[in-house]
Amino acid sequence: MRFGHFDDPAKEYVITRPDTPKSWCNYLGSTEYGAIVTNNAGGYSFYKSAAQGRFVRMRFNAVPLDQPGRYIYLRDEEAGDFWSASWQPVGKPLSEYKSECRHGTAYTVISSEYADIKSETAYFVPLGAAFECWRVRLTNAGKTPRRLSAFTYVEYAGNWNSFNDLTNLQYSQFIVRMGCEDGIVDHGTNVQIPPRPENFEDADQGRHTFLALAGAEVAGFDTDRTAFLGPYGSYAKPAVVAAGACTGSLAYGDNGCGVLQTRVDLAPGETKEFTVLMGVGRADAEGRRIRKEFSDPRKVEAEFAKLKTYWHGRLKNFTAETPDAAFNSMMAMWGPFNCLTTYAWSRAASLIYAGERDGLGYRDTVQDLLGVMAAIPAEAAGRLELMLTGQVSTGGAMAVVKPFAHHPGAEMPPSLSQYRSDDSLWLFDAVPAYVKETGDLTFFDKVLPFADKGEASVLGHLKRAIAFNLEHAGVHGLPAGLSADWNDCIRLGEKGETVMVAFQLRHALEVYGEICALLHRDGEGDWAKEKLAALDRILAAVAWDGEWYIRGIDAEGRKYGTHENAEGRIFLNAQTWAVLSGHADAKRATAAMGAVEKYLATDYGVMLCAPPFVNTDMNVMRAVLFNPGMKENGSIFTHTQGWAVIAETLLGHGDRAWRDYRATLPAAWNEKAEIREIEP
């Protein structure tokens, strides 16, 4: 089933049916002020952190998934009929309501037509701004004059810390104080306490956001959720919209909201425009200043155009034109844009993560850099340096680096049981990628601090990463699994050994040797060659299982990912990394990827492992926590498909590589989106 199409010249995805299988979202803004908006105007906004700076409320696992959101309600003053400028939340019958959503480069435009009224709402965050714009255009497509009321709606968090807002109600329900200054809504929390911007993670500080209208007169307001919705009301039928007039409510505790009403009279064929402005700051300061600045629609349009130009410029470094339209759409726009979005926010903001996870996961973020290095090498260098300062002097790394609260040289290092064995080894992909892209060989000699104490050149950081895995090894001499390697559900501990990380370590030693040769550090290069040869001997003796490579060995010597196992007999990552690392000779590489083809490849992509776990000891293979075929228990990870594609390509298996790539290519599922459900 098809819900939309790719508009490649405009760099947009166009949703023509609003009843998508799940809420299809887009990202707005920057790492300073970010927002998620869906095809039905759902989502939330946040400042610096989706977990600790989320001032717009989001309830996860709701039905629909994305409510509440940032809504515009429209009401015909004569007929009393009302609807929303996005299909949801009112949800008029689709036989009567036309809808189109255009997700673009950090903006979304939602258009609708109902009862001869056309609406177009463009959502975006101006470059460098800590506020967002909802540019609203209303057109009378009928033959008679119309009198309308438009109502904004946004639901505020009681506390910017998402955990406090959703669970600590005996606190968060008593700190909101709403106001309306000169027609601008002021959302205040902890208003008796001064702000402490230097200590962002302190949830107990005074904070304000504003909501304003530019280009339209305010006819009324409400800031109390119950007053607006009604005690037994809903987003689909708010009491105030049904009645046609705001009540002037001021929330004092409980739940705040932002409602501004304006009246719009339209002659036949006439269009009128206004802009909703929402952002960080006080109503009587930032709110008033920004409303004045954006009172001219030409200013709004200029900022919107500037945003498009900026993002299209970030995407121009790579283009693709092939006979496959789905491939072109992904490679020319959505692949790079997704990489840039993930680079910005890691896994900290989505309709899945927000609250439980915060900051930049180490291994994730260092890998994410590869996706943007060609597009924004200068910016990527800054992020790369940040992550290098998240490496601990032991050579391991902090699990998470928080850009808004990171203090290199003064961080508490993890305990040995908390380290992941693979974290710092991803630097051997990211650092060379930066140097190759820029030609800046001096980067290897740049001195950066460790997270906890001391400092080293970038080359020194790389050597410490290798040393960490050489020093923490099991009985056979392979790297210890520690709390996890790439697979968080494999817990091999301080004595168990991970074969995937052993291959990564081999790759690291080879890359380190190449760098040393480039820099004429012959002694260092000889050291790397010696360690590499020793590791190859161990891998050849221990890791090969006859048809493929094993995944790991626990502290008691039990092997995982071997033909002897009833569950988890073969793992994808051990086979791909045997090839990527250069360890596997032609015969073993061909056999290992042949086993992947035989046991793991499907029409939907390549499975992580097979058969799934049901009875295996969960203390080692925690994948049994998940249903068979889901998550780490034998599902298909888009992430790992890339490694399979590269491995097959290195072996000259072009047809397999293409098939595996296209099996999980989001755009390739556009015509049957109900199967995959999430965004094409």
Side-chain angles (χ1 to χ4, degrees):
M1 190 179 298
R2 176 173 168 168
F3 294 85
H5 63 271
F6 291 90
D7 184 344
D8 290 341
K11 297 190 183 300
E12 294 174 340
Y13 183 81
V14 186
I15 299 169
T16 52
R17 283 190 54 171
D19 56 337
T20 49
K22 291 185 183 292
S23 301
W24 288 358
C25 68
N26 196 12
Y27 285 75
L28 314 180
S30 68
T31 53
E32 187 73 4
Y33 183 103
I36 287 177
V37 61
T38 72
N39 54 303
N40 281 307
Y44 57 93
S45 302
F46 49 96
Y47 182 61
K48 294 186 183 291
S49 162
Q52 300 188 67
R54 176 152 39 98
F55 62 88
V56 172
R57 179 167 290 152
M58 177 71 186
R59 295 182 194 85
F60 294 90
N61 280 332
V63 179
L65 183 65
D66 62 340
Q67 292 188 3
R70 41 181 77 73
Y71 300 134
I72 302 290
Y73 292 94
L74 301 171
R75 184 181 189 275
D76 187 301
E77 296 283 27
E78 294 181 1
D81 190 16
F82 62 88
W83 61 100
S84 41
S86 49
W87 178 53
Q88 292 292 320
V90 175
K92 288 292 188 180
L94 290 176
S95 58
E96 304 170 20
Y97 187 99
K98 296 179 182 177
S99 172
E100 180 186 86
C101 170
R102 287 182 169 265
H103 281 326
T105 48
Y107 68 86
T108 287
V109 180
I110 299 175
S111 303
S112 72
E113 183 174 356
Y114 174 78
D116 288 333
I117 298 295
K118 293 182 177 180
S119 71
E120 180 190 275
T121 309
Y123 295 97
F124 69 98
V125 176
L127 292 174
F131 63 91
E132 62 192 78
C133 296
W134 318 349
R135 187 206 64 195
V136 183
R137 289 174 177 162
L138 301 175
T139 301
N140 182 356
K143 297 180 179 179
T144 59
R146 301 291 290 274
R147 293 178 58 242
L148 306 174
S149 271
F151 302 81
T152 69
Y153 182 77
V154 62
E155 187 168 322
Y156 292 118
N159 187 268
W160 286 22
N161 182 293
S162 59
F163 186 82
N164 282 340
D165 178 56
L166 295 176
T167 61
N168 192 7
L169 302 189
Q170 60 84 31
Y171 164 57
S172 64
Q173 296 264 310
F174 298 90
I175 63 173
V176 170
R177 188 183 297 184
M178 300 298 302
C180 192
E181 305 276 346
D182 187 26
I184 305 174
V185 170
D186 186 86
H187 162 226
T189 62
N190 297 123
V191 296
Q192 285 82 239
I193 304 174
R196 300 190 184 97
E198 75 285 352
N199 188 4
F200 179 78
E201 292 193 290
D202 182 4
D204 302 329
Q205 59 179 290
R207 283 167 163 163
H208 290 264
T209 71
F210 66 86
L211 182 78
L213 285 184
E217 295 294 322
V218 174
F221 71 88
D222 271 294
T223 68
D224 184 286
R225 187 184 70 180
T226 302
F228 178 73
L229 297 178
Y232 296 95
S234 69
Y235 303 123
K237 190 178 180 180
V240 161
V241 177
C246 284
T247 69
S249 62
L250 290 169
Y252 189 84
D254 288 332
N255 292 286
C257 67
V259 179
L260 292 172
Q261 179 183 2
T262 188
R263 292 193 167 88
V264 184
D265 295 336
L266 293 171
E270 185 179 14
T271 297
K272 288 186 177 178
E273 177 178 324
F274 62 88
T275 302
V276 182
L277 301 160
M278 180 173 72
V280 176
R282 301 178 64 97
D284 59 2
E286 289 83 2
R288 189 171 291 168
R289 174 180 59 80
I290 291 166
R291 182 179 65 177
K292 180 180 180 181
E293 182 182 355
F294 281 73
S295 60
D296 187 341
R298 291 174 297 183
K299 170 67 173 176
V300 179
E301 197 60 30
E303 290 296 329
F304 191 23
K306 190 187 300 182
L307 178 80
K308 286 186 180 181
T309 300
Y310 169 78
W311 274 100
H312 289 188
R314 288 164 78 81
L315 297 169
K316 70 182 180 181
N317 284 14
F318 184 87
T319 58
E321 188 173 341
T322 75
D324 190 308
F327 180 87
N328 295 342
S329 295
M330 291 304 299
M331 297 306 289
M333 162 59 194
W334 292 103
F337 182 64
N338 282 323
C339 286
L340 288 163
T341 301
T342 306
Y343 156 79
W345 290 109
S346 186
R347 316 298 183 270
S350 69
L351 293 181
I352 301 167
Y353 277 125
E356 182 270 337
R357 190 170 186 176
D358 195 18
L360 303 172
Y362 199 90
R363 66 157 81 105
D364 298 334
T365 301
V366 176
Q367 290 173 79
D368 293 340
L369 285 164
L370 296 177
V372 300
M373 203 64 81
I376 52 167
E379 282 182 56
R383 175 63 59 79
L384 181 55
E385 289 182 18
L386 172 71
M387 300 315 292
L388 281 161
T389 68
Q391 185 188 24
V392 184
S393 57
T394 61
M398 298 172 61
V400 174
V401 177
K402 298 179 181 179
F404 47 81
H406 181 54
H407 306 287
E411 296 285 358
M412 181 67 68
S415 65
L416 180 57
S417 63
Q418 293 173 320
Y419 282 113
R420 277 102 54 104
S421 56
D422 65 314
D423 277 348
S424 293
L425 292 179
W426 297 108
L427 293 169
F428 290 90
D429 300 292
V431 171
Y434 169 72
V435 174
K436 289 175 182 178
E437 190 66 41
T438 62
D440 181 13
L441 288 173
T442 64
F443 186 71
F444 288 118
D445 290 318
K446 186 165 188 174
V447 175
L448 295 170
F450 289 105
D452 56 335
K453 61 182 180 180
E455 61 183 20
S457 66
V458 170
L459 187 66
H461 278 264
L462 294 178
K463 186 172 184 180
R464 283 306 307 150
I466 292 173
F468 178 84
N469 288 98
L470 291 174
E471 292 163 4
H472 299 95
V475 172
H476 300 92
L478 298 178
L482 305 179
S483 72
D485 56 25
W486 177 91
N487 188 327
D488 287 321
C489 286
I490 298 181
R491 305 290 177 86
L492 295 165
E494 298 173 27
K495 301 297 182 183
E497 297 166 288
T498 162
V499 171
M500 177 187 172
V501 173
F503 288 135
Q504 284 187 281
L505 177 59
R506 187 201 187 279
H507 171 65
L509 285 163
E510 193 163 68
V511 168
Y512 187 78
E514 291 171 357
I515 295 169
C516 291
L518 196 65
L519 300 177
H520 305 293
R521 314 282 169 87
D522 298 337
E524 286 295 301
D526 291 341
W527 171 83
K529 288 177 184 176
E530 178 187 334
K531 298 298 183 184
L532 176 60
L535 180 60
D536 268 341
R537 287 192 293 271
I538 300 170
L539 282 167
V542 175
W544 182 246
D545 195 51
E547 267 190 273
W548 60 79
Y549 288 93
I550 66 171
R551 185 60 173 82
I553 306 169
D554 69 16
E556 282 71 45
R558 289 185 293 262
K559 294 181 179 180
Y560 295 86
T562 167
H563 70 278
E564 298 172 358
N565 298 144
E567 299 173 353
R569 191 176 302 123
I570 178 172
F571 280 79
L572 174 62
N573 288 354
Q575 318 320 314
T576 57
W577 274 91
V579 179
L580 298 181
S581 69
H583 168 75
D585 60 23
K587 184 177 179 181
R588 287 189 174 183
T590 300
M593 294 308 295
V596 168
E597 171 73 10
K598 182 177 180 180
Y599 298 111
L600 299 176
T602 77
D603 291 340
Y604 302 94
V606 185
M607 295 184 293
L608 195 62
C609 62
F613 296 97
V614 178
N615 300 308
T616 302
D617 181 3
M618 70 167 281
N619 292 313
V620 175
M621 287 294 170
R622 295 184 67 81
V624 295
L625 293 167
F626 300 112
N627 292 334
M630 304 192 82
K631 203 72 163 48
E632 280 90 347
N633 200 7
S635 78
I636 296 165
F637 272 62
T638 307
H639 189 162
T640 56
Q641 302 304 298
W643 300 334
V645 170
I646 295 169
E648 295 286 20
T649 303
L650 289 171
L651 297 178
H653 302 159
D655 289 343
R656 274 193 204 168
W658 175 251
R659 181 207 60 198
D660 291 345
Y661 175 75
R662 213 174 186 282
T664 54
L665 184 71
W669 291 89
N670 193 55
E671 306 304 312
K672 40 190 175 181
E674 76 282 359
I675 296 176
R676 193 170 180 270
E677 293 190 343
I678 59 175
E679 298 90 350

